[in-house]
Amino acid sequence: MGIKLSGKLDEIHKTLMKEAERVETLTIRALAYLGEQCVRRIRDRPGEKSWFDQSGNLRSSVGYIISHNGNIVSSYGFDSSMGKAAHTKQVEYVTKDGKKVSFTARVKAGGQEGAKAGKDLAEELIKRYSNDYVLVIVAGMNYAEYVEAMDNKDVLASTELWATDKIPQMLEKLKRQIAKSVS
C-alpha cells in the first residue's frame, strides 16, 4: 500500500521555479535601477562638479554590468555618444586672394576609446565573482583615479558613498516586493 504524490509535487516544483524566476527578475531590476542612477550621477554632472572633458573618453567609459552566478545579465553605459567633450580651436588661414581669416571653431571629441575601455574593465572585474548577484560600476579609463586625486575632482567617490547609503533601502524594498509576490 502506498500514496502517490508525484502530480502534486510537480505542481509545487513548478510554482517554486516560477517564484524563483520572479525573485531573480526583481533582484536584477533593483540592481539595474541602482546602477543606472549611479551612472547618471557620475556621468551627467557639469565639469565644475566633476571634471572637464578633454577627449570625452572618461565620461564615455562610465557604466555598469550585472552578473548572476557568473553570467552577465545586464549592462548600461559605455556609450561613446557621451563623449561630448568639446573644446575650441583657433583657426587661422589666408584665402587665395590674400584675405586673412580667423575664427574659433568648436571641435567635438570622440569617446569610442572610453566606451570600449569601460566595458572591457567591467567585464574583467565581473569575472572575479562567480556566485550570487553582482553589480560592478566603473569609470574605465586608466587615468580615472588620477583625475579624482587631482584638484579634488569627483569621478566615483561621491557616488560610491551615495550608493552605499542607498543599498539598505533598496534591499528593504526588494524584500517587500518579494514578500508581496509570495503572499
Side-chain angles (χ1 to χ4, degrees), residues 25 27-28 36 44 57 70 75 79 84 102 134 147 154:
T25 299
T27 302
I28 292 168
E36 287 175 24
D44 295 347
N57 284 323
S75 68
D79 185 357
K84 296 178 183 172
S102 177
V134 179
V147 170
D154 182 15

Side-chain angles (χ1 to χ4, degrees), residues 89-105:
K89 183 175 182 179
Q90 190 64 31
V91 178
E92 296 178 359
Y93 65 94
V94 178
T95 65
K96 288 181 184 177
D97 53 350
K99 183 178 177 185
K100 288 185 180 181
V101 177
S102 177
F103 62 92
T104 303

Side-chain angles (χ1 to χ4, degrees), residues 66-139:
I66 298 170
S67 74
H68 179 230
N69 294 332
N71 299 311
I72 294 174
V73 295
S74 181
S75 68
Y76 176 79
F78 314 118
D79 185 357
S80 63
S81 70
M82 290 311 301
K84 296 178 183 172
H87 54 279
T88 58
K89 183 175 182 179
Q90 190 64 31
V91 178
E92 296 178 359
Y93 65 94
V94 178
T95 65
K96 288 181 184 177
D97 53 350
K99 183 178 177 185
K100 288 185 180 181
V101 177
S102 177
F103 62 92
T104 303
R106 279 181 53 100
V107 179
K108 185 177 177 186
Q112 295 82 2
E113 181 184 338
K116 181 178 178 348
K119 190 166 188 177
D120 289 349
L121 175 61
E123 287 174 351
E124 183 62 35
L125 292 173
I126 211 82
K127 290 177 186 175
R128 298 179 186 177
Y129 305 96
S130 59
N131 296 327
D132 258 334
Y133 295 94
V134 179
L135 168 63
V136 172
I137 302 163
V138 299

